[in-house]
Amino acid sequence: MLVDLQGPWNPLFGRLGLLLEVHYNNPVLFFAFELSVVVGVILLFWATCARKWGYIWREWLTTVDHKKIGVMYIVVGLVMMFRGFFDALMIRSQQAIAVGPDSPGVLGAAHGYLPPYHFDQVFTAHGMIMILVAATPILVGMMNIIVPLQIGARDMAYPYLNALGLWLTVVSAALVMIALFIGDFSHAGWVGLAPLTELPYSPGVGVDYWIWSIQIGSVGTTMGAINLIATIIKMRAPGMTWGRIPVFTWTSMASNIIALTSFPVLGVTLALLTFDRYLGTHFFTVGLGGDLMMYTNLFWIWGHPEVYFVVLPAFGMLSEIIPTFSEKPLFGYVTMVIASMAIAAVSWSVWLHHFFTMGAGPNVNAYFSIATMLVGIPTGVKVFNWAFTMYRSRMRFDTPMLWAIGSVFLLISGGMTGMMLAVPAINYIVHNSVFVIAHFHNMFLLIVYAAFGAVTYWFPKVFGFTLDERWGKRFFWFFTAGTLMVFIPMYTLGFMGMTRRLDYVSHTAWWPLLNAEMVGIGLYAISIACFVMQLAVSIRDREKNAVGADAWGTSRTLEWATHSPVPYYNFAVTPIIHDRDEWAWRRKHGLTSLKPDRYVDIHMPKNTAVPLVLGVLSLAFGFAMVWRIWWLAAISAIAMLLVIIYRSFDKDTDYIIPASDVERMEKEMLARAERVEGNAPAPGGAAGGAYASPQAPSKRHQGD
Amino acid sequence: MSHGHDNPLDHPEVQLASPRGYLVGYVFALAMMILSLGLVKSHALPPAGLMTVLSIIALVVILAQLYFLFHLDLSETQIWHTVALVMTVPLFIMAVGLTIWMFYTLHMRTMIPGLG
């Protein structure tokens, strides 16, 4: 052992002996454990009884289909968002209870019900989960589904790599969930405050869970970024020039350039921290020439580009939703693209604003302050473009549009407070206060709003039926009420001087506002129930809500030019692109028929279990490294290497769908479209002619 | 749609490989390493000059390795790899340069002269 480990260790079980020493005993944990076990058992039981294992294995676990991989990404993201929400509920209720010296304390806590060590783990898990295994997978999943469809590709450039990225992200989420029940999680904040993350100050396994979870997940995200960039550059359909790429694909491109260039920095930073904790080096301690400030610096060199990595796809989603429900092309396409790329470029020179108070000279702070404010220019361009798209248009307030408009409002308020924080003088006052927390939650909620809007918007494309409008609107309004009730008081408390990460609030004058936030989190809880109801009702009414290719009637981009749900080969024949808004162009020219002149063979990638196997092995590797079970880590690492070598010699990775099979499947889908659209569009398109006229107007406006 | 993926050896990137290129890259890197070692061991230059010369040698070796080992050039096969590499140059300058600037001012403002 190169480092001074506290507690038991033996060669066979590593540090698992630590589990025998129970640190705290909290019924909340048991509730979570029971919930996970019961839900898990029910799902396993259902799958076995319904004989679904073959189906799940063939259609989901071994798939390389970008749409199914995207759906799995989003499901993982939503489940983890639910977990992150529970953490938020615990943080808010603790702060609402533990106010003032007379506040009650239960379950071993002096005040409230969470002792400091547990409370710290809760907020660390909340931050890490929401950013890295909730928001990121939802956005990556969305890009996965939509980008190949928008550019007319059969699949991603590297379907196998795509599946591998998914399973590594799942491993990341799985490690966080395992940390909940086996051992504990980091208590050093999601940013990993140095030197608190060093072994002498965090001798448990919590920080190791945090390190390996992020490390494995970030490898997956980097692979996804490589894949999406290659797909956008190389896999575009004929006629899809750079000037015709839909804006969502453009923002995905910008976003993944950021991911590709910044995630390796995170990987290196965490690797150096790993050396400190496992090998006894001193990169981020003050001993032997290390520098703990360097950790903060390196972390934010990744951390701030990461913020734009998650916000840019959200901007792309807004740019698709708003024109559709404004029944009008997007205003300022070129400026939108330039703005996206400008944000990506500036993202690399603003990171120091996360630690203006660290002690850097005034010139340094001024430089980063100005660079940060520069971001406001392209972002402002985007807001004005969306506003001009809506100006004098025929706006429809379907659920996706409500989410989109809510998102724009949040962007404006979050952007304003961001401008305030970009001023070092203000930053010195509000640094580490809940004002900062309210600001970045405001920004992240913009992404969540856009993502929920995008899920509602593209749901019919993937599954062939729309989500229920009534429950969707309830979901939206309760969620919005929750947002206002939580974060307006939080901004206020920030100005009143409340600092972040408090497990005990000494100032009783803040109690009313903390209670208001508690009401807000209750509204969020109701909104989640509405979301679950929305899903349930929509699945129940899926026959009634079934839609054809163009689910909203006024969609504009290429993904609407194939069937809903999209067949696994995406397009019967590779589409030829004529215009920036291809589907709107075809509608205008009466070319909405999905029946091509003739069918051709389609070349497709084969399913493979290798990514799943690599995922399982990397889970074993991560778990073994956390608990320092060296033999298991070595075996799983060698096994991973062997599987990768084996796969590289496998030449049987693709197959051809004969044209006759394509024709048969296409006929079925055309028949389905005829059935759900009622009046079958004649070849050449019944809805041609009028500019942006709804193709299936009969069922749309009823919800408004 | 080309069916070249059936045989990995048909890939243009693989076609670029040649034993001669790898050998030249390896021998050149080795020679530069020996040269650097010799310069340092014999104190051939004053410290500042040594630092400059070593940095230049390092840069030349990086470029040579990128060309001979990674085959980065402006041909159609490799242009995107080269573009991606060139794009990292400003990022590198920003990340490293701004960090040095920041830590320099931090050092000036927080360290007691003569102790740091």
Side-chain angles (χ1 to χ4, degrees), chain B residues 28-109:
Chain B
F28 182 73
L30 205 63
M32 285 299 120
M33 208 144 82
I34 292 165
L35 176 68
S36 312
L37 187 68
L39 286 176
V40 175
K41 275 194 87 168
S42 65
H43 296 281
L45 292 164
L50 209 53
M51 193 79 106
T52 319
V53 172
L54 287 184
S55 303
I56 292 170
I57 292 178
L59 190 70
V60 172
V61 172
I62 289 174
L63 291 178
Q65 289 189 344
L66 288 174
Y67 182 75
F68 288 113
L69 305 186
F70 290 90
H71 312 291
L72 290 189
D73 54 34
L74 300 180
S75 68
E76 204 189 330
T77 326
Q78 297 294 76
I79 183 89
W80 280 107
H81 296 180
T82 311
V83 166
L85 182 80
V86 170
M87 268 185 55
T88 61
V89 171
L91 297 184
F92 187 78
I93 292 171
M94 263 198 276
V96 178
L98 291 174
T99 297
I100 291 173
W101 184 32
M102 169 171 64
F103 276 91
Y104 174 73
T105 64
L106 183 66
H107 186 83
M108 295 303 283
R109 286 160 55 84

Side-chain angles (χ1 to χ4, degrees), chain A residues 338-592:
Chain A
I338 295 173
S340 303
M341 287 297 163
I343 291 174
V346 178
S347 77
W348 266 86
S349 56
V350 298
W351 79 89
L352 187 128
H353 68 223
H354 290 271
F355 41 97
F356 273 143
T357 57
M358 172 174 121
N363 290 336
V364 176
N365 278 359
Y367 171 88
F368 281 96
S369 168
I370 292 167
T372 305
M373 289 184 190
L374 281 180
V375 179
I377 298 172
T379 315
V381 166
K382 281 175 176 272
V383 171
F384 277 110
N385 279 345
W386 294 319
F388 284 131
T389 308
M390 289 188 268
Y391 178 64
R392 300 193 72 167
S393 71
R394 276 173 292 182
M395 280 167 76
R396 274 161 38 210
F397 295 96
D398 297 60
T399 321
M401 187 62 166
L402 289 181
W403 288 112
I405 295 174
S407 184
V408 174
F409 275 109
L410 285 174
L411 173 60
I412 295 170
S413 60
M416 293 289 181
T417 51
M419 283 296 125
M420 292 168 68
L421 287 169
V423 179
I426 295 179
N427 213 284
Y428 265 84
I429 297 169
V430 294
H431 183 82
N432 253 353
S433 75
V434 293
F435 184 82
V436 180
I437 312 299
H439 159 71
F440 73 68
H441 278 83
N442 194 330
M443 293 312 274
F444 262 94
L445 279 163
L446 154 199
I447 299 162
V448 171
Y449 269 62
F452 280 138
V455 166
T456 327
Y457 178 61
W458 278 305
F459 191 90
K461 184 81 279 184
V462 180
F463 293 103
F465 58 97
T466 51
L467 284 172
D468 187 71
E469 281 283 310
R470 260 181 44 198
W471 282 102
K473 283 185 174 149
R474 284 174 196 161
F475 175 32
F476 170 80
W477 286 113
F478 274 111
F479 198 90
T480 304
T483 302
L484 296 175
M485 276 304 275
V486 171
F487 293 103
I488 292 177
M490 196 181 281
Y491 272 125
T492 316
L493 282 169
F495 277 132
M496 292 163 81
M498 183 173 159
T499 48
R500 64 195 292 194
R501 300 179 180 131
L502 293 182
D503 69 297
Y504 166 68
V505 181
S506 57
H507 201 5
T508 46
W510 294 337
W511 198 44
L513 287 172
L514 289 167
N515 276 332
E517 292 184 26
M518 195 61 214
V519 173
I521 205 88
L523 291 166
Y524 272 134
I526 298 173
S527 81
I528 292 175
C530 292
F531 179 51
V532 175
M533 272 307 286
Q534 184 192 19
L535 286 179
V537 168
S538 312
I539 293 172
R540 188 195 66 195
D541 295 344
R542 60 188 179 277
E543 290 300 324
K544 202 175 88 202
N545 293 337
V547 286
D550 184 358
W552 304 103
T554 50
S555 328
R556 311 192 61 80
T557 36
L558 185 65
E559 75 269 24
W560 303 100
T562 181
H563 305 284
S564 308
V566 184
Y568 58 94
Y569 47 81
N570 288 359
F571 295 89
V573 292
T574 305
I576 311 271
I577 313 303
H578 310 83
D579 196 40
R580 190 170 285 164
D581 287 340
E582 175 66 12
W583 182 243
W585 183 90
R586 291 193 188 183
R587 198 164 43 217
K588 189 172 159 193
H589 290 83
L591 299 169
T592 51

Side-chain angles (χ1 to χ4, degrees), chain A residues 151-459:
Chain A
I151 59 174
R154 290 252 176 263
D155 205 305
M156 298 283 267
Y158 310 111
Y160 157 74
L161 195 67
N162 200 17
L164 187 54
L166 166 77
W167 291 112
L168 292 180
T169 307
V170 171
V171 167
S172 174
L175 275 177
V176 182
M177 290 310 288
I178 290 172
L180 185 59
F181 308 125
I182 304 175
D184 43 21
F185 199 63
S186 171
H187 60 124
W190 85 273
V191 298
L193 298 164
L196 185 55
T197 44
E198 295 287 345
L199 195 61
Y201 316 107
S202 302
V205 293
V207 174
D208 300 324
Y209 265 120
W210 172 82
I211 287 176
W212 289 104
S213 173
I214 298 182
Q215 188 71 286
I216 293 173
S218 77
V219 172
T221 310
T222 314
M223 286 176 181
I226 294 169
N227 210 344
L228 274 157
I229 293 173
T231 307
I232 297 170
I233 291 176
K234 286 290 191 188
M235 306 280 284
R236 283 169 289 141
M240 181 65 83
T241 56
W242 289 104
R244 287 180 185 161
I245 296 178
V247 175
F248 179 72
T249 301
W250 263 117
T251 56
S252 301
M253 178 82 179
S255 169
N256 283 299
I257 290 174
I258 297 175
L260 183 59
T261 48
S262 68
F263 269 90
V265 180
L266 177 68
V268 169
T269 312
L270 290 176
L272 296 181
L273 185 60
T274 311
F275 293 156
D276 277 9
R277 284 183 66 86
Y278 285 73
L279 304 176
T281 56
H282 288 271
F283 286 105
F284 304 131
T285 67
V286 278
L288 294 175
D291 192 339
L292 54 95
M293 290 294 191
M294 187 52 95
Y295 173 82
T296 312
N297 182 55
L298 286 173
F299 184 87
W300 287 113
I301 286 183
W302 162 75
H304 203 84
E306 155 74 12
V307 173
Y308 297 125
F309 167 66
V310 288
V311 88
L312 277 168
F315 289 167
M317 293 164 181
L318 300 183
S319 307
E320 301 294 343
I321 296 171
I322 288 175
T324 299
F325 297 101
S326 299
E327 307 193 358
K328 193 174 154 198
L330 181 71
F331 183 92
Y333 170 90
V334 175
T335 52
M336 213 59 149
V337 172
I338 295 173
S340 303
M341 287 297 163
I343 291 174
V346 178
S347 77
W348 266 86
S349 56
V350 298
W351 79 89
L352 187 128
H353 68 223
H354 290 271
F355 41 97
F356 273 143
T357 57
M358 172 174 121
N363 290 336
V364 176
N365 278 359
Y367 171 88
F368 281 96
S369 168
I370 292 167
T372 305
M373 289 184 190
L374 281 180
V375 179
I377 298 172
T379 315
V381 166
K382 281 175 176 272
V383 171
F384 277 110
N385 279 345
W386 294 319
F388 284 131
T389 308
M390 289 188 268
Y391 178 64
R392 300 193 72 167
S393 71
R394 276 173 292 182
M395 280 167 76
R396 274 161 38 210
F397 295 96
D398 297 60
T399 321
M401 187 62 166
L402 289 181
W403 288 112
I405 295 174
S407 184
V408 174
F409 275 109
L410 285 174
L411 173 60
I412 295 170
S413 60
M416 293 289 181
T417 51
M419 283 296 125
M420 292 168 68
L421 287 169
V423 179
I426 295 179
N427 213 284
Y428 265 84
I429 297 169
V430 294
H431 183 82
N432 253 353
S433 75
V434 293
F435 184 82
V436 180
I437 312 299
H439 159 71
F440 73 68
H441 278 83
N442 194 330
M443 293 312 274
F444 262 94
L445 279 163
L446 154 199
I447 299 162
V448 171
Y449 269 62
F452 280 138
V455 166
T456 327
Y457 178 61
W458 278 305
F459 191 90

